[in-house]
Structure formats: C-alpha cells, structure tokens
Amino acid sequence: MCPLSLEETCKSILRKCEGLPLPIVAISGVLASKDMYRIGEWDLIQRSLRAEMDGNHKLKKIDQVLSLSFKDLPYYLKSCFLHLSVFPDGDGIKRMRLIRLWIAEGFVEAKEGRTLEEVAGDYFDELMSRSLLQSTRITSDGRVKECRIHHLLQQIAIQKSREQNFAIRVDEQNAFCPGKARRLSIHHGLQYSSQQNLPSSSGLRSLYMSGADKSPIKAALFCSFKLLTVLDMQSVPNLQKFPVLVNEMYLLRYISLRFTEIKTVPSSIGNLENLETLYLKHTYVTELPVEIMKLQRLRHLLVYRYENISYSHSRYGFSTPADIGTLKCLQKLAYIDANDERSHIIMRDIGKLTQLRRLCILNLRKEDGAALCSFISKLTNLVALAICSFYQDEILDLQDLNSPPPLLLRLYLKGRLLAMPHWVPTLESLVIVHLRGSCLKDDPLLSLQGLPNLVHLELQGVYDWGVLHFNVGGFRKLRQLGIDNVPDLRGIEVEEGAMPSLCQLTVQRCKLLQNVSPGIEHLTKLKVLEFLDVHDELIWKLKRCDEVAHIPEIRYGSWTDGGWDVRSVERREETAGCSQRSRGELPSCWK
C-alpha cells in the first residue's frame, strides 16, 4: 500500500509517464529500490525526471528504447518529429497548425497530383500510427483536430534538436540560447531584461513566441531577423500593433498573430511576397489593405473572431479588398464579409479561387445568393462551406446551385431558407450539416435522413415541430444530433431501427418537452444524453426512467449568470452531481 505521504509524488510521476507502459514499469523498478520513508528521494525523481534518466541506468533504458522510435523514422519524418520540440510542454497542438508550419519550414516534399497539405497530412498520420503523437481532440466525423506529444518523447525531441542545432527552447529551465540556433522557441513565463539571450539574427529561420511575456517580445522585435521564414506569436499578451520589422522579413512564409489584440494590418504587408499563411484568428482585424493582393503565394487566409453572447456567439470576419480573385493559390478563406457595395464583384472573385477547400462567408444578402451559387459551382475542390445571412431574418437564396461541389463534406448554413436547398440531399459525401434559423415550412428530416454518410447533424430554429419523429432506416450513420430552439416541441419519437449509430443526443431550449422520448430505448449505442434549458418536469422523470438506464451519461443544465451550470443526472435520487464540463463552455450545438 502506498503511504499517504507519497501519494501526490506518485501521481505526479505517473502523469509524466502519461500511460506509456515502458516508462511506468522502468520507473517503478527505480522507485522500488527507494526507501518509502525517505520522501526526499522520491520527490527528487518526480522533480528532475529528465536528469534522473541521464544518470540512472534503469531509466536510461527508457531513453534508449524511446530513442529507437526516432532513429527508425524515415528521413522525411525526422524533421517533423524534431519540430515538436518547439511547443510548450503538455499543450495541445492543432493538426492544421502543424501542417501549415511543416510546409512553411520546408519539411514537406511535393508529390505529383497531391497538394502539400495532403502530403503533410500523411506525415501527421504516420507519426500518429507510430504513437509519437497522441490525439487529444477528435471531431464528430473522426478527424484528429488536436494532438500532443508525450512528455518523455518531447524531451528526446528537445535533446536531439539541441544536438543537431535544429531548434532551441528558451524557458524557465533553459535560459541559455546558443547563437547557432536555426529555430528559437520562447515560452510563456520567461522574463528578459534585454535581447542578450537572443541568437544573432544571421542564422535564425523560425521564431516561436507562444504566450511569452512582454519583455522577450520587445527584445525580439528590436532584432532584424531578415532570414526568418516562420513567425509564430500566438497568444502573446498585450500585442496591439502589427510588428513593424515584420515587413522587412521578405522570406516569411508563415505569420500567426492568433489570440492577440492587433486591430490593423499595414499596407507594407505587400512586401512579403513569399507569404503562404496569414493567421489572424481571434484578433480585432476587420479589414485588409489592398496590398494583400501582392501575396500571390498565399494559401491560407484566416481573419475572424467569435464573441459569446448569451446562448450563442457572433462571428466577425473581414472586408475584402478588390480583386481577391487574383490570389489563385488560396485554399482556405475565412471569414469574408459580403456586406459590401461591391458584393457582386466579391461573388465573381470567389469563383476564380478554384483551389479553395474551405470557404466561409458572412453577411450574405438575398440578392447575392444566385450569383454566389453560380460561382460556387466552379469550386470543385471545396470540402467545407459556411454561409451566414446578413440579418437573422434575411433569406439565404441558395436554390440556384445546380452543380454543387462534388467533394463537399461539411455544410454550415445560418439564415432563413424558403425551402431546403434541392442540392443538399444529393450530396452523398456530406458528413456534417449545421442549419441555423432556417424557419423551414417542410420537415427537413424527410430530405436529410437518407444522406448515407451523415454523422453529425445540428438543427437550431429550423422547423416548428410539435413532435419530432425519426423513421426506421433513417440516418444510418448519424452519431451526433443536436436539436435547439423548438418552442412548440412536445415530444420526440424514435422508431426501432432509426439512428442505429447515434452516440450523442443534445436537446436545448425546448421548454414544452416534459416527457422522456418514446423509443429512446432503441438507441442502444447512445453514450451521452443532454438536456439544456428544458422543463424541470423532464429532468425529474429522467431520474426515474428505466428506458434510459442503458445510457452511461445523462446531463442537464441551465444558463445562469453568463455561463452554463451543467450537472449529471443521478437517477432515482433527488440530488445531482456536477459534470466535468467547465462552467460557461457552450455545448457543440451552439457553436
């Protein structure tokens, strides 16, 4: 039995092992030789696990075995693995962020018939298959959205990076920065009084300053890194102006100012003719200068932010300058604001961006719908499309899309629809459909239930159901369903054989719904049942209902003081325990 005095130390060591059997077994062997009454010996291991691995023959074996994973990598993956050393310990890393960075860093080899993004995606998948990356967030359609690297594997990446002058981390544990560094990563919490610890500007190719304090930011920005190809300043606090010296870094391929407070982009951005990614998500930029048209290599242009308002959030995009259609290499464009006197030109220019894979449009007016449909039909590579109307009651006129993009996987429509667009039920490739404020006159379930690959459906204010009925054989692959804002909804009926794959059902803002859904016992794969802002009578019945006994997790909640108060149902009891959802987090149906 573990002494109480060692419980926290043991838990800390286990967290660093993060589920890998080899480190757990090896470190257990080391700890077994320690006196359990000498707390300091155990504490030393958990505080300096890296140093212990270097000095203890048992733990060195871990290092040697894990190093084999690196040695066994093909040459094209070794740089991608070493690159993982630049990220803060334990942080989740977005898959697309890695892919864009690997391309900008020059790690990705061109292959005929494939985009660089597709090749980089293969690199990512191979690292995952080798267990060198762990998924931390998977989308409803099965895509890895976010990953992380195991603590011990990252230590190996850091060590190898230093040995090869590939990258240098500067943080609380590593304050020294050699001048030969090609890539420099400065993490949050580090304090600088000057630029003396920064490398000389002659050799630096990439600079990562994720969440770094203000002092190192100032020090870095007074340097002239003219050979820089990557500048990642994500989550840098108090950064309110676009860094002036950036405009002299002519070789830059990647700029990220995500989660900063900048408001404008200077016209001198046009000097960066090698730029491939401009990432301004969650900044206050709402307009781009016309000089952006000079960036003919631009592949990813992401300029938008969200603001939570009550149950939902508002999106803010950017006003496009004229001739955005000249950016022929664009693959992702979000969110472009169509509320402009030149809207007809914007629609025409969108049709010229034939490499687009993701397109997000805000504030579309009814009179521009037909033109947009005409030009979207030319975007044959499109896999994700999001369109929001100008006003809440503005009609989305999308009926004229006679040749929808054949590869379309994800569709998000927000605004009134006179009828379900005729082309939606024909897209057998669709896996995700979100409809908001559609106010349809006909039940959309009848046209959507036959989509053969649909796995995620969200319906908010879409149709005035009295009873929501799911037919046998409908929605064969649907795994996640959200129903929101149906004021007159009094019942949900599920026939046996309907939605056989459903794993999560969320119902929100349906105050008249007071009874457990007949047929819910047929949903044998249901893992999560969620009722938010519904009648108290329904929650009371859930606690006593045998038909939901097979569902592992049942949650309910209400919106209180600007955040969600969500609890788990403890059936047949009057009390309820809090769920793991953090207060204020919006359920997926609201996003």
Side-chain angles (χ1 to χ4, degrees), residues 33-71:
S33 66
K34 305 296 182 183
D35 189 333
M36 70 175 62
Y37 297 105
R38 293 181 179 237
I39 300 175
E41 294 182 5
W42 291 57
D43 187 58
L44 178 61
I45 291 179
Q46 75 92 9
R47 283 189 291 105
S48 54
L49 188 55
R50 181 74 240 172
E52 284 292 312
M53 289 179 70
D54 293 336
N56 188 299
H57 73 280
K58 292 184 179 180
L59 293 178
K60 272 188 176 180
K61 292 181 180 179
I62 302 175
D63 215 358
Q64 293 168 359
V65 173
L66 294 180
S67 291
L68 286 176
S69 299
F70 173 71
K71 292 177 182 177

Side-chain angles (χ1 to χ4, degrees), residues 9 214 226 305 412 492:
T9 301
K214 198 171 184 180
K226 291 193 175 181
R305 76 181 193 276
Y412 310 87
I492 300 176

Side-chain angles (χ1 to χ4, degrees), residues 301-329:
L301 181 57
L302 304 173
V303 188
Y304 62 96
R305 76 181 193 276
Y306 300 146
E307 286 186 5
N308 288 338
I309 301 176
S310 186
Y311 293 103
S312 190
H313 60 226
S314 295
R315 296 177 178 88
Y316 298 89
F318 71 97
S319 298
T320 176
D323 301 324
I324 197 169
T326 62
L327 301 179
K328 301 293 187 182
C329 293

Side-chain angles (χ1 to χ4, degrees), residues 431-469:
V431 294
I432 297 178
V433 174
H434 286 211
L435 301 178
R436 302 281 190 272
S438 305
C439 300
L440 291 167
K441 296 180 180 179
D442 298 316
D443 188 343
L445 297 186
L446 300 177
S447 57
L448 297 175
Q449 63 182 355
L451 287 172
N453 293 298
L454 190 66
V455 298
H456 187 176
L457 177 63
E458 300 282 353
L459 303 172
Q460 182 190 81
V462 169
Y463 180 72
D464 190 17
W465 286 284
V467 175
L468 190 57
H469 189 88

Side-chain angles (χ1 to χ4, degrees), residues 295-523:
L295 310 184
Q296 292 297 302
R297 298 185 181 183
L298 202 59
R299 305 165 75 89
H300 306 277
L301 181 57
L302 304 173
V303 188
Y304 62 96
R305 76 181 193 276
Y306 300 146
E307 286 186 5
N308 288 338
I309 301 176
S310 186
Y311 293 103
S312 190
H313 60 226
S314 295
R315 296 177 178 88
Y316 298 89
F318 71 97
S319 298
T320 176
D323 301 324
I324 197 169
T326 62
L327 301 179
K328 301 293 187 182
C329 293
L330 272 184
Q331 294 189 21
K332 294 197 175 182
L333 178 58
Y335 277 88
I336 187 169
D337 193 333
N339 180 28
D340 192 291
E341 59 184 12
R342 299 171 294 110
S343 59
H344 62 290
I345 298 177
I346 294 173
M347 301 302 113
R348 180 201 65 193
D349 283 352
I350 286 174
K352 298 177 182 179
L353 304 175
T354 56
Q355 298 302 309
L356 274 183
R357 295 179 62 82
R358 178 186 173 193
L359 172 63
C360 305
I361 299 176
L362 294 178
N363 297 325
L364 183 72
R365 295 180 181 273
K366 179 180 183 296
E367 56 266 28
D368 294 320
L372 178 63
C373 289
S374 172
F375 295 117
I376 284 180
S377 64
K378 300 178 181 180
L379 308 182
T380 56
N381 292 302
L382 207 63
V383 297
L385 175 63
I387 303 176
C388 298
S389 63
F390 182 53
Y391 290 117
Q392 182 176 350
D393 293 332
E394 185 91 11
I395 292 174
L396 285 180
D397 184 5
L398 302 176
Q399 292 293 342
D400 291 335
L401 184 54
N402 294 318
S403 299
L407 304 178
L408 198 63
L409 300 174
R410 303 184 293 277
L411 177 65
Y412 310 87
L413 301 178
K414 182 179 180 181
R416 289 186 61 194
L417 297 168
L418 292 177
M420 175 69 70
H422 66 88
W423 46 270
V424 174
T426 70
L427 285 173
E428 296 188 353
S429 58
L430 279 176
V431 294
I432 297 178
V433 174
H434 286 211
L435 301 178
R436 302 281 190 272
S438 305
C439 300
L440 291 167
K441 296 180 180 179
D442 298 316
D443 188 343
L445 297 186
L446 300 177
S447 57
L448 297 175
Q449 63 182 355
L451 287 172
N453 293 298
L454 190 66
V455 298
H456 187 176
L457 177 63
E458 300 282 353
L459 303 172
Q460 182 190 81
V462 169
Y463 180 72
D464 190 17
W465 286 284
V467 175
L468 190 57
H469 189 88
F470 293 93
N471 296 318
V472 59
F475 298 107
R476 300 296 302 176
K477 290 189 177 181
L478 194 66
R479 296 202 298 265
Q480 187 168 334
L481 172 64
I483 304 295
D484 174 24
N485 192 21
V486 187
D488 295 328
L489 185 66
R490 295 178 179 273
I492 300 176
E493 298 174 352
V494 182
E495 292 185 4
E496 186 173 4
M499 302 186 291
S501 303
L502 195 67
C503 297
Q504 179 170 339
L505 172 60
T506 301
V507 180
Q508 301 164 118
R509 290 193 293 176
C510 299
K511 289 288 192 179
L512 295 185
L513 187 64
Q514 299 183 23
N515 293 300
V516 179
S517 306
I520 198 168
E521 67 275 9
H522 302 319
L523 302 176

Side-chain angles (χ1 to χ4, degrees), residues 70 73 77-86 107 156-162 164 166-167:
F70 173 71
L73 287 175
L77 286 184
K78 286 187 175 178
S79 292
C80 296
F81 176 77
L82 292 178
H83 182 254
L84 298 171
S85 66
V86 306
F107 302 156
I156 290 172
I158 292 170
Q159 177 185 334
K160 301 293 184 185
S161 291
R162 279 186 172 271
Q164 300 180 22
F166 179 90

Side-chain angles (χ1 to χ4, degrees), residues 186-191 209-218 221 233-241 257-262:
I186 302 174
H187 295 320
H188 48 76
L190 181 68
Q191 297 290 341
M209 309 186 75
S210 179
D213 289 332
K214 198 171 184 180
S215 298
I217 301 300
K218 286 184 176 180
L221 295 182
M233 302 179 71
Q234 176 172 309
S235 302
V236 170
N238 303 314
L239 183 61
Q240 300 178 347
K241 292 184 178 180
L257 299 171
R258 185 173 182 247
F259 284 113
T260 64
E261 300 176 19
I262 70 164

